[in-house]
Amino acid sequence: MRIIEAVDYEDLSRKAAGIIASQITLKPASVLGLATGSSPVGLYRCLVEWYKNGDLDFSRVSSVNLDEYKGLSGDNDQSYRYFMNSHLFDHVNIDKARTFVPNGLEPDSSRECARYDQVLADAGQVDIQLLGMGHNGHIGFNEPEDFFEKGTHCVDLAPSTIEANKRFFQKEEDVPRQAYTMGIGSIMQAAQVLVVVSGAEKAEILAEAFAGPVTPRVPASVLQLHQNVVLVADQAALGKLKERMEAGK
Ligand code: GLP
């Protein structure tokens, strides 16, 4: 794993956006694996700015997103489809027909999971998978579990995730209780994984994920088994991981 230390969130966003921008420049028909949450907002802002400056071309890019709340339509301003449109897709020249997000409105979970696995298979290997990390170490919506789920599945959100995400909703009852998420197996197929983590409140779980045992109780820990992971984190988030790595030397 390569660790890139950023001074703060702005610096982290520019550095991580630079990695995605070079991927697109080197391979214009890249398949991007995209993520939502507050962590990647700044990097999407950079990508939009560089596109507007004429430095980036998304016309041949396609994308697959990690997850979507079950029960929300793409028009709902809390859905991850809406997030992707408003933070990135609406502002760059990507062909929206080649941007994929699970369909939160499909009530039949096994049907939607099978459909999305087919979408992933048809998209081909993800060149770079962007990931944030939840406070409990979740990636996408792969919550702490007894085993790693391979493919797309429907999850019951952990109480801590509902608590963390309620800030985006009017009230806690509005947070959906379930979501569709790409599985750990699919995430691990990406050629490269780019993890962005910011803030002191993630320092402990970041250290656990990258210096602790590989366990489905901390889903991000599986990334220790991936051969091409780049972690871009700010100093506040990296504090504990650096201590653990230095102590382990
Ligand atoms: C959400 C998303 C994840 C995201 C995580 C962290 O629940 N499903 O993909 O990485 O929470 O969010 P944030 O970056 O806002 O801390």
Side-chain angles (χ1 to χ4, degrees):
M1 175 179 61
R2 258 171 299 176
I3 300 180
I4 298 175
E5 180 169 342
V7 184
D8 55 20
Y9 181 74
E10 280 311 307
D11 188 31
L12 170 159
S13 300
R14 273 195 308 274
K15 286 181 159 72
I19 294 170
I20 295 186
S22 20
Q23 171 65 43
I24 297 171
T25 303
L26 289 168
K27 184 180 173 190
S30 286
V31 181
L32 306 181
L34 298 178
T36 56
S38 49
S39 306
V41 166
L43 84 84
Y44 290 144
R45 204 181 302 127
C46 290
L47 293 177
V48 169
E49 190 186 313
W50 298 340
Y51 164 73
K52 288 192 169 150
N53 288 344
D55 294 328
L56 270 180
D57 176 11
F58 288 80
S59 61
R60 296 176 60 201
V61 166
S62 53
S63 71
V64 288
N65 258 78
L66 284 166
D67 47 13
E68 180 60 283
Y69 287 115
K70 185 172 178 182
L72 298 194
S73 84
D75 298 334
N76 184 304
D77 63 4
Q78 292 310 326
S79 73
Y80 286 166
R81 162 54 77 180
Y82 190 97
F83 174 105
M84 289 311 305
N85 287 347
S86 56
H87 285 94
L88 184 66
F89 302 154
D90 284 345
H91 311 290
V92 299
N93 65 336
I94 198 164
D95 177 357
K96 271 204 199 154
R98 284 207 307 270
T99 66
F100 301 97
V101 181
N103 176 13
L105 279 191
E106 172 57 66
D108 181 338
S109 300
S110 37
R111 189 174 163 153
E112 178 54 16
C113 294
R115 185 197 71 86
Y116 203 63
D117 278 342
Q118 191 57 50
V119 164
L120 298 177
D122 294 346
Q125 190 187 26
V126 167
D127 291 292
I128 186 161
Q129 174 67 58
L130 175 63
L131 292 178
M133 195 179 66
H135 292 82
N136 58 4
H138 73 225
I139 48 177
F141 266 134
N142 289 274
E143 297 281 28
E145 265 283 8
D146 293 335
F147 50 88
F148 292 115
E149 288 262 13
K150 286 188 286 194
T152 304
H153 55 289
C154 178
V155 286
D156 293 329
L157 299 179
S160 63
T161 300
I162 293 169
E163 176 65 26
N165 290 358
K166 74 177 186 197
R167 65 201 148 113
F168 301 113
F169 293 81
Q170 278 188 341
K171 44 188 185 332
E172 189 181 320
E173 301 84 83
D174 295 343
V175 187
R177 267 36 187 177
Q178 289 189 311
Y180 291 124
T181 184
M182 201 188 273
I184 295 288
S186 308
I187 292 171
M188 292 292 281
Q189 303 277 317
Q192 185 175 20
V193 177
L194 172 64
V195 193
V196 287
V197 185
S198 168
E201 70 283 357
K202 298 254 179 90
E204 193 66 57
I205 193 68
L206 184 60
E208 206 42 47
F210 288 103
V214 174
T215 164
R217 305 310 313 175
V218 183
S221 67
V222 76
L223 299 172
Q224 293 181 47
L225 303 180
H226 194 285
Q227 53 184 358
N228 192 359
V229 175
V230 178
L231 166 66
V232 186
D234 55 23
Q235 285 167 355
L238 271 181
K240 295 232 159 56
L241 177 59
K242 277 167 69 182
E243 274 170 30
R244 292 264 293 263
M245 291 174 93
E246 272 152 32
K249 270 184 196 159

